[in-house]
Amino acid sequence: MPLARYALTDAQWERMAGRLPGRAGSAGVTARDDRLFVDAVLYKFRAGIPWRDLPARFGDWHRVYQRFNRWSKKGIWQGLFEQLSRAPDNEYAMIDSTIVRAHRSASGARKKGRAPSGRSKARHSDAAAAG
C-alpha cells in the first residue's frame, strides 16, 4: 500500500498547519513534525489498521496514539474537521463510513454452517406443548 496515497497534499497541509497546536509562536511546546503526525493519523483511519500496525516511518505507534488521544480530548480534531470540511475541495482528507472497514462479523449475517438461533422455535414448541 503506497504511503503517499493517504498523505495530505501540500495545499491541504498549508490550509491546516496554522490551526494546529504546538506551532512556533504559540503557548506550549513546539511540535517536531505535525505533518508527519497528521499523515500517520490519516493513514491509520484511511487504511483501517490498528494503531500497532502503523508503518515505522511514522515513529512509535504508541506516541502517535497518545498524541491523537490528547488532541481528541481537547477537541482539536473536531475544530479542524469543522474548519476544513467547509472547503469544497478537501473531501480527500475527510473520513466517513465508506472508508472505515467493519469486521466481517459486524454485518449480522448468519454464520456459515450454523443453524439459526433456536430461541424462537423453543418458545413456539413450549407454547404448543402447553396448549
Side-chain angles (χ1 to χ4, degrees), residues 11-127:
Q12 289 169 327
W13 176 248
E14 286 174 20
R15 284 193 301 268
M16 177 187 280
R19 297 178 168 102
L20 301 177
R23 63 190 176 278
S26 65
V29 177
T30 302
R32 253 189 264 164
D33 194 349
D34 278 338
R35 186 170 184 169
L36 184 63
F37 166 66
V38 172
D39 279 343
V41 172
L42 285 175
Y43 183 90
K44 183 257 187 276
F45 287 105
R46 298 275 315 210
I49 61 172
W51 287 106
R52 289 178 188 262
D53 292 344
L54 272 177
R57 81 173 201 86
F58 292 121
D60 179 44
W61 71 268
H62 195 257
R63 287 181 180 259
V64 175
Y65 166 74
Q66 286 177 321
R67 189 171 176 192
F68 169 81
N69 202 25
R70 279 194 307 269
W71 281 26
S72 295
K73 289 177 181 176
K74 291 179 181 178
I76 295 167
W77 293 115
Q78 182 67 31
L80 275 174
F81 177 78
E82 288 170 1
Q83 291 172 353
L84 296 174
S85 64
R86 293 184 199 118
D89 62 339
N90 214 20
E91 72 279 350
Y92 178 77
M94 299 302 122
I95 298 171
D96 64 21
S97 63
T98 62
I99 295 167
V100 178
R101 297 178 187 154
H103 189 272
R104 64 178 175 230
S105 66
S107 67
R110 195 171 101 200
K111 307 301 179 248
K112 195 172 189 178
R114 291 187 185 171
S117 174
R119 281 189 151 175
S120 60
K121 286 183 182 178
R123 261 190 252 144
H124 291 298
S125 63
D126 289 344

